[in-house]
Amino acid sequence: MSSGHDEVFDDTDLAPGDEHVEGSGIGLRVLGYLTGLGLAVLLTATSFFVAGTDLVWEPSIPVALVVLAIAQMGVHLVFFLHITTGADNTNNVLALAFGVLIVLLVMGGSLWIMANLNHNMMPMDQIMQMQR
Amino acid sequence: MSTIALTEEHHHGSASGHRWSGPAPKRIVTGYGFWIFILSDMVMFSAFFATYAVLLGQTAGGPRGRDLFDLRNVAIETAFLLASSFTCGLASIAADERNAIWFQIAMAVTCAFGLGFLALEGNEFASLVARGAGPTRSAFLSAFFTLVGCHGLHVSAGILWLLTMMAQVFTKGFRPDIQRRILCFALFWHALDIIWIAVFTVVYLLGSAA
């Protein structure tokens, strides 16, 4: 368990952000953050490269950027926030899953509805003509 | 928390005599509660992102994203925030090890990167307004300033919190309640960096590429 706190830890849970460390592990923990930093830098650099280059087939660029962003969010969650699939993290992961569900519903739903309204709305000049 | 499952697991579990009993330790309760707050904050940001995406084309004849954004500036902002997230992690380790000096150093560096980020963002906003591309120019720019500005406000609040934690560790030491606040602060700061990933991808990179 993560060391250094006064409080006694329950064997079955871990607070979000706390790390499950076996044995003594300052070096190991720093290494974890360094790994996260390295991966994040790699993914960010790739994102900026893809956005500004002619080497990549252009229609694929938005998809590539979104995939890279999601990958980097995963890296941050695992290496900085220490959200894992372990049994001590079940509650944290479930809360996160619910949050992601709501985020997807809000964004996807808004875009879907607004695109639909946009599509079905009469062009502005015709509305103006009807008001005359 | 799933009380039933935990209880059952321990009834069938090891014969070491350890049983789950009573509420979870305060650190877990506090951290979990703050985790829920962060997720609700992300839900709020998703509404701002949805607004931005819907209003992306509504420029009212004004400038579009690709006419305005300076990707080099955004890259430096991203680097600052990422570096601050890393040093914030080092501060968490120092706090767990009860090393006050390294904690203060790591937090000070985190603060410096955060302030650098805010300075760059303020600079960008000021230059946009000076070029006549302020939030009142078009629906697109209103949405842009709301979304990016809201993240900037969160970073500002985070820096105030960071300075508070430095002062509290200095005067009160690594008491359990201070440790819990440090845990929550670290969650908040890392979450801001995750939101920034979405901002630089959706707003700046997609806005310049598409």
Side-chain angles (χ1 to χ4, degrees):
Chain A
M1 288 268 157
S2 178
S3 58
H5 316 291
D6 279 346
E7 291 169 80
V8 184
F9 277 94
D10 194 290
D11 265 353
T12 50
D13 274 318
L14 212 52
D18 266 342
E19 224 173 335
H20 186 93
V21 183
E22 305 281 355
S24 70
I26 302 181
L28 224 67
R29 291 188 67 188
V30 174
L31 196 67
Y33 279 101
L34 275 173
T35 314
L37 181 69
L39 286 172
V41 166
L42 203 68
L43 288 165
T44 306
T46 315
S47 279
F48 276 85
F49 172 75
V50 165
T53 183
D54 298 331
L55 291 173
V56 184
W57 185 54
E58 212 172 309
S60 74
I61 287 178
V63 182
L65 287 175
V66 170
V67 169
L68 284 166
I70 291 173
Q72 197 181 339
M73 287 178 187
V75 167
H76 281 236
L77 282 173
V78 170
F79 290 97
F80 293 162
L81 286 163
H82 311 299
I83 302 297
T84 68
T85 52
D88 51 10
N89 252 292
T90 313
N91 292 321
N92 306 337
V93 171
L94 280 178
L96 176 67
F98 182 67
V100 170
L101 171 71
I102 301 296
V103 165
L104 290 180
L105 282 178
V106 168
M107 301 220 294
S110 301
L111 285 175
W112 185 9
I113 290 171
M114 292 311 290
N116 199 271
L117 283 175
N118 225 3
H119 184 75
N120 289 327
M121 199 171 81
M122 196 182 284
M124 208 35 124
D125 49 337
Q126 286 183 36
I127 296 177
M128 302 285 259
Q129 275 186 351
M130 284 174 70
Q131 284 173 339
R132 267 179 208 161
Chain B
M1 304 230 175
S2 58
T3 317
I4 298 165
L6 286 176
T7 318
E8 284 213 341
E9 193 180 302
H10 280 277
H11 278 304
H12 300 297
S14 63
S16 66
H18 181 90
R19 272 166 194 270
W20 183 82
S21 58
K26 220 165 180 181
R27 187 174 172 89
I28 290 176
V29 175
T30 309
Y32 190 71
F34 198 76
W35 183 230
I36 301 290
F37 161 74
I38 282 174
L39 293 168
S40 73
D41 216 31
M42 293 201 168
V43 169
M44 186 199 71
F45 266 103
S46 77
F48 284 132
F49 273 108
T51 311
Y52 177 83
V54 166
L55 296 176
L56 187 57
Q58 314 299 314
T59 52
R64 302 175 57 182
R66 85 174 76 144
D67 310 322
L68 296 172
F69 299 148
D70 174 11
L71 283 191
R72 173 175 294 188
N73 194 54
V74 178
I76 300 171
E77 282 179 277
T78 306
F80 277 6
L81 217 52
L82 189 56
S84 82
S85 223
F86 175 69
T87 52
C88 175
L90 297 186
S92 305
I93 299 174
D96 288 348
E97 299 299 328
R98 303 170 160 279
N99 189 326
I101 295 166
W102 277 108
F103 174 79
Q104 299 286 6
I105 292 174
M107 289 292 260
V109 176
T110 309
C111 181
F113 279 127
L115 287 175
F117 171 85
L118 280 180
L120 285 175
E121 188 162 86
N123 216 9
E124 186 199 12
F125 281 8
S127 100
L128 284 180
V129 172
R131 279 189 279 168
T136 53
R137 178 63 189 84
S138 63
F140 157 67
L141 281 164
S142 301
F144 167 79
F145 275 92
T146 312
L147 173 58
V148 183
C150 189
H151 178 269
L153 277 181
H154 275 74
V155 175
S156 313
I159 285 178
L160 288 179
W161 191 358
L162 183 157
L163 293 172
T164 313
M165 291 328 299
M166 286 175 74
Q168 290 198 327
V169 167
F170 184 72
T171 53
K172 302 177 183 178
F174 293 113
R175 290 190 334 214
D177 56 340
I178 308 290
Q179 293 272 28
R180 287 196 295 272
R181 288 173 204 165
I182 294 171
L183 171 75
C184 291
F185 167 75
L187 284 173
F188 185 73
W189 198 258
H190 292 312
L192 283 186
D193 204 14
I194 291 183
I195 292 171
W196 180 252
I197 298 171
V199 172
F200 83 70
T201 301
V202 172
V203 175
Y204 291 106
L205 293 183
L206 286 176
S208 303

